[in-house]
Amino acid sequence: MRTQRNTQWIGLFLIPIFMGVLWAEAMRGLLLTWALFAVGAAATRLSIVQYYSREVAQRSTGEQVEFFRRRRLIWPVSALFWGLTTLLYFDRSSLADQFICWLILAGLAMYSINSLSSHLATMRAYLNTLAITALTVMGWRMAVELEFSGPPYHWWLVALLIIFWQVLRQAGLRLHVTHRKNFELQYRNNQLIESLTRQTQAALDAVEIKNRFLASAAHDIRQPVHALGLYADWLGSEPELVHELAPKIVESTKAVNQLFDSLFDLARLDSGKIKLNIDNVDLAQLLHDLEVQYRPLCEAKGLQFRVHVQPGVAVSDPILLQRIVGNLISNAVKYTQRGGILVASRVTPSGRRIEIWDTGVGIAPVHQREIFREFYKVPTHAGTEDGFGLGLYIVARLTHILGHPLALSSRPNKGTVFRVMLTPTDPQAAAARAVASVQQLLPGRLRAADLQSQDS
C-alpha cells in the first residue's frame, strides 16, 4: 500500500496522454467514456491509498490485512479499463499511434510488477486481467469483425502479447521472492539487533549487580572484621578479659561466616552448578535438626522457640529444603525482638507445608515483593544493618527450583508468617527450572540461543 501513491498519479497522468494520441482517430464518445471510467478507477485507488495512510496504517496487522482484502479488487478493475483501450486503437488507428498505445500499455504492465509484486495475488490478478482483456478484444476484432482476413502482423501481436504476459508473470514472481527475502533479512537483522541490545543490557545489569554486590558485601563485612581487629588488639593488651571478649569474637566470626555462606549459595545458583538430590525427607527429623541449631539463638535473645511437628515425608532435596527453612527461621529471629518463633509442619487439603511464624516487626505491603530481590533491605527495619539482603532472595530461587510454592503474610508491628508448600519435586522439572533460572539472568544469551536454533 505504501508504494501505490506514486502509481496512482502516474496512471492519472497517462490518461490525458492516451487521449491526446487517439483524439484525432478514435471515436470521441467512446474515448471520453473510457476516460471517465479510467479517471474514476484511478481516483478510487488514490482515495483508498490515502485513507489507508491516514487511518489504517497505524492499526494492527489483522485490521490492515482485512482492509486490503475488502478493497483489492480495485486493482484488477483498473487493469480491465486499461485492457479495454484496445477497442480504441487495435486495427482502428495508424500503426504509429498503435505503437505508442501499446508502449503505454506495456509500461503500465511493467510498472505494475514493481509496485504490486509485494502481494503476489494482486500482481497476478492485475496482469491476468490486463492481458486477457486485451487478448479478448483482439480475438473479437480478428475472428468476428475481420473473419480472420486481417493483416498477418495481428498474429504476431497476439504471440508477442502472450509471451510478454508470461515473461512479466515470471519477472514479478522473482521480484516477489526478492522482496520477501529482503523483508526476512530485515526482520532477522532486527532480531539480531534486539538480541545484541538484550545482551548489552544483560551485561550492564551484570555490572550493576556486581557493583551492588561489592558495595553491599564490603559494607556488611567491614563492621564484623573491624570488630574482630579491635577485639584482638584489646585481648592482646588485656588478656584477663578473655571471658568477656571471647563471645564477642565468636559473634563477629559467625557474622563473617554467614555472609560467606550466603555469597557461596548465590554463586552456586547464578553459575547453574547447584546439584539436586531429590529424595524422601523426614519432616520430623528436619525440624528437629533446625531446632537444635536455632533454639539457642532465640533463647539468647529472650525469645520463645516452639516447634509443632505433624510427622510425614516430603519429596524434595533434603539439603536445599533445610537451607530454605533455615534461612526463613534465621530471618525471623533477626527481626523479632520480643515474643517468639513457631516452626510447624502441617497437613492441609492441598498437601503438606512448613510454616514459620514470628512476632517481629512485620513487612509493609509495599515491601513484600521487593524483599525477594538480591541485596534488598527494608528501610527503617531494626536489624537491617546486620543483614546482607540475600537470605530471602536465595529462598525464593530455591523454592522456585524445587517447585515448592512460597507464600507470605505479614502485618507491620504484628509479625510475619512464611508458608512453604511441599509439593513433590519432580527431578527433571527441577533441573529444567534450575537451568532456566540461570538463563533468565542473561536474557540476551537465551535470545541468541533461540536465534541460533531458528537458523539451524
Side-chain angles (χ1 to χ4, degrees), residues 15 21 39-40 47 50 53 55 93 148 176 228 233 282 354 364 368 392 395 412:
I15 292 173
V21 171
V39 169
S47 66
Q50 290 178 337
S53 300
E55 302 290 341
S93 60
F148 300 107
H176 172 79
L228 279 174
D233 291 341
D282 187 337
I354 294 178
Q368 289 184 9
L392 292 180
V395 166

Side-chain angles (χ1 to χ4, degrees), residues 17 54 79 114 170 186 210 234 285 292 354 362 394-395 441:
I17 295 178
R54 186 176 62 254
N114 181 61
Q170 292 302 314
Q186 180 181 357
K210 177 184 176 182
W234 195 357
Q285 184 62 44
V292 171
I354 294 178
I394 293 172
V395 166
L441 299 177

